[in-house]
Amino acid sequence: MSLIDAAFWTKIVMRIAIIAVVFVVGGYYGYVLITWTNPDPKKIFEPAYGCEAVLPEPAITDFYDVDLTSIEVAVETATSALQTTTGGIPKFPPIVYVYRLDISGQNFGTARQATELADALRFRNVSPDRPAPTQYRWRDDLLGRTLVVDTATLNFDYGYDITRAPVIPNLNLPSLPLAPSIASDVLSAVGLYSREFREGKTFAYPVNITRQGNTETIAEARSLQEASLVRVDFQKATVALQYDKTKINQFGQQGRVNFIDFLDSTKFNIQDENLVRYTFPRVAQTPVVGNVQVYVQSLKRADGQEQAFRIVVRNWVTETFPCGTYPIIEAADALRLIKEGQGKVVYLTERGGDRIQKLQMPPITEVNIFTVELAYLETFQRQDYLQPIYVAEGEVTFNNGKVGNIGVYIPAIASFGQ
């Protein structure tokens, strides 16, 4: 074969190879595009349930007992924002994970971890006492500090005696934007800060703590100049659903998709461009507080004094994987149910008022819901499951003409049985 013939056939083979590669790659991505843009949601997003025969309803506390059926409730603004996020992905998935709390109880390991926590908070050469069978308590009489750890859950309360609170104004306080960073460092120092905290929400409030007898009051101050502390509340983020968008349609053709498996990195190593991941915060008794709180007392640590005046931790740990997937109602239906009086008012305050205390409010004449979001309810007291709820927030008008803010919770799971 001459060189001319060889060159000719080489070009032919190269062109055929290029066409074949383009055909295979293009066909693959075309298949992915077609199957993804035309899914069968009912077949793919089929709940597996699995936690128990009948889930308990979320323990939502109705703090204000407001009858919304007798009040004009407008939800048009919220409804218009419910459709999708960027890229056409639904804002809320049709099914979500439900998690069982991991309460292993007291053992030798938890007692050791409690001691390590005490060391991290500089309770050194101090022996704890046992005020309860599952509690260790350390006292530092020199600095007026106390640490109480529940060895069954590793939740704890740490703080100085209230008589040691900084004076007002506390010129050592950080700014409100800086306080969450300091509080995060405090949690990191005791081994608590994690991805769940980084992806979650924080709230910072200038506060004062007072006590009359056995009653303690934590009140939001109007400004830093009138506060002795900055309270930082953390709401951890929780994965509500995760999957590889290139695989669920394929799996859906073979039967029910096991969405829990997508959380197992040993089974699926999902590429970033194929990952669909919904995360939502864990709200506490109201939408603007959390169950992990750090009371910051200084911008920098002084000799013999921690930056945190108080740390309150109800860091409920869930099992590694969800126990099941459950269907949720659509957000528009949640708003409809709220208008029908099935939601519970958990947060109500005048504009510019105290967002921490639950104060008596005047009667409401009008409600305008601006946002509705999915979240997990994490109560201050122990619960069996971490379950989703809808959080609706907006503006209210009181009968005295003043305006304020409102927060309403309603369960998100469509059915508590299988």
Side-chain angles (χ1 to χ4, degrees):
M1 180 183 295
S2 66
L3 290 176
I4 295 176
D5 291 337
F8 172 80
W9 286 109
T10 299
K11 290 179 181 179
I12 294 296
V13 171
M14 289 179 63
R15 289 174 181 173
I16 293 174
I18 292 172
I19 293 172
V21 169
V22 170
F23 178 80
V24 171
V25 173
Y28 170 76
Y29 283 103
Y31 168 78
V32 170
L33 179 63
I34 292 171
T35 56
W36 171 242
T37 55
N38 296 281
D40 181 358
K42 292 183 179 179
K43 187 170 186 178
I44 294 173
F45 296 97
E46 184 180 356
Y49 301 97
C51 296
E52 63 177 78
V54 179
L55 278 177
E57 290 197 32
I60 301 172
T61 302
D62 192 345
F63 289 113
Y64 293 94
D65 192 25
V66 177
D67 182 7
L68 293 176
T69 60
S70 62
I71 301 169
E72 181 181 350
V73 180
V75 298
E76 289 78 8
T77 304
T79 304
S80 65
L82 292 180
Q83 302 307 316
T84 61
T85 58
T86 57
I89 304 282
K91 187 174 183 180
F92 305 123
I95 60 172
V96 295
Y97 300 132
V98 170
Y99 295 83
R100 183 181 287 111
L101 260 63
D102 186 6
I103 308 294
S104 56
Q106 178 178 271
N107 54 50
F108 175 78
T110 56
R112 173 181 53 78
Q113 288 175 281
T115 301
E116 291 173 351
L117 173 63
D119 289 342
L121 289 169
R122 302 198 299 174
F123 285 90
R124 300 189 180 99
N125 301 318
V126 178
S127 298
D129 59 7
R130 302 290 295 274
T134 62
Q135 284 186 345
Y136 280 12
R137 178 172 59 192
W138 286 263
R139 298 179 184 271
D140 180 352
D141 294 330
L142 179 63
L143 295 178
R145 303 183 304 150
T146 304
L147 170 67
V148 179
V149 183
D150 183 344
T151 53
T153 62
L154 294 179
N155 289 325
F156 67 90
D157 294 279
Y158 161 81
Y160 288 84
D161 185 88
I162 196 170
T163 60
R164 309 278 181 126
V167 297
I168 303 171
N170 181 358
L171 301 180
N172 295 318
L173 285 179
S175 65
L176 294 182
L178 182 60
S181 175
I182 295 174
S184 299
D185 290 342
V186 169
L187 295 182
S188 294
V190 297
L192 276 182
Y193 199 65
S194 63
R195 176 177 176 176
E196 290 178 310
F197 286 93
R198 288 194 300 271
E199 294 184 350
K201 293 182 177 181
T202 57
F203 301 84
Y205 304 103
V207 299
N208 294 305
I209 304 175
T210 58
R211 178 179 294 163
Q212 291 185 345
N214 294 326
T215 302
E216 183 178 274
T217 301
I218 302 170
E220 182 180 7
R222 290 181 294 180
S223 67
L224 280 176
Q225 289 70 34
E226 300 178 33
S228 61
L229 304 164
V230 175
R231 169 174 152 172
V232 179
D233 285 48
F234 292 86
Q235 293 180 354
K236 298 195 301 182
T238 295
V239 179
L241 195 69
Q242 176 172 300
Y243 55 86
D244 186 328
K245 66 182 181 182
T246 66
K247 297 185 182 300
I248 62 167
N249 291 318
Q250 171 190 345
F251 294 161
Q253 299 298 323
Q254 302 169 1
R256 176 184 290 161
V257 179
N258 187 343
F259 283 91
I260 296 176
D261 279 351
F262 285 112
L263 292 172
D264 190 345
S265 59
T266 64
K267 296 181 179 180
F268 292 101
N269 183 18
I270 307 175
Q271 301 299 314
D272 290 344
E273 62 271 20
N274 298 327
L275 175 64
V276 176
R277 187 169 183 258
Y278 294 90
T279 61
F280 299 107
R282 298 187 189 186
V283 296
Q285 59 186 9
T286 80
V288 295
V289 299
N291 290 329
V292 175
Q293 304 157 7
V294 178
Y295 292 74
V296 179
Q297 65 179 343
S298 62
L299 184 62
K300 296 181 180 179
R301 189 170 71 184
D303 291 340
Q305 188 178 58
E306 302 292 341
Q307 287 177 279
F309 180 82
R310 175 180 291 184
I311 308 172
V312 177
V313 171
R314 298 299 180 269
N315 182 37
W316 301 109
V317 178
T318 62
E319 294 180 348
T320 303
F321 297 106
C323 53
T325 55
Y326 285 75
I328 61 171
I329 62 175
E330 293 186 1
D333 288 330
L335 289 171
R336 175 181 55 78
L337 292 173
I338 287 173
K339 292 184 67 174
E340 294 175 359
Q342 297 190 41
K344 295 182 179 180
V345 177
V346 299
Y347 174 64
L348 193 62
T349 183
E350 290 185 356
R351 182 177 295 172
D354 194 326
R355 292 168 291 179
I356 296 176
Q357 291 194 85
K358 294 183 288 295
L359 303 175
Q360 187 68 33
M361 291 288 108
I364 299 171
T365 59
E366 184 179 345
V367 177
N368 191 4
I369 300 297
F370 293 147
T371 64
V372 58
E373 297 292 341
L374 199 65
Y376 281 93
L377 177 64
E378 185 177 57
T379 57
F380 195 76
Q381 304 300 324
R382 173 180 170 177
Q383 56 192 18
D384 292 327
Y385 295 96
L386 195 65
Q387 298 185 57
I389 62 171
Y390 277 110
V391 180
E393 295 183 81
E395 186 178 88
V396 298
T397 302
F398 298 105
N399 69 349
N400 60 7
K402 294 184 178 181
V403 296
N405 301 102
I406 189 172
V408 184
Y409 287 174
I410 191 166
I413 290 181
S415 173
F416 290 93
Q418 292 188 24

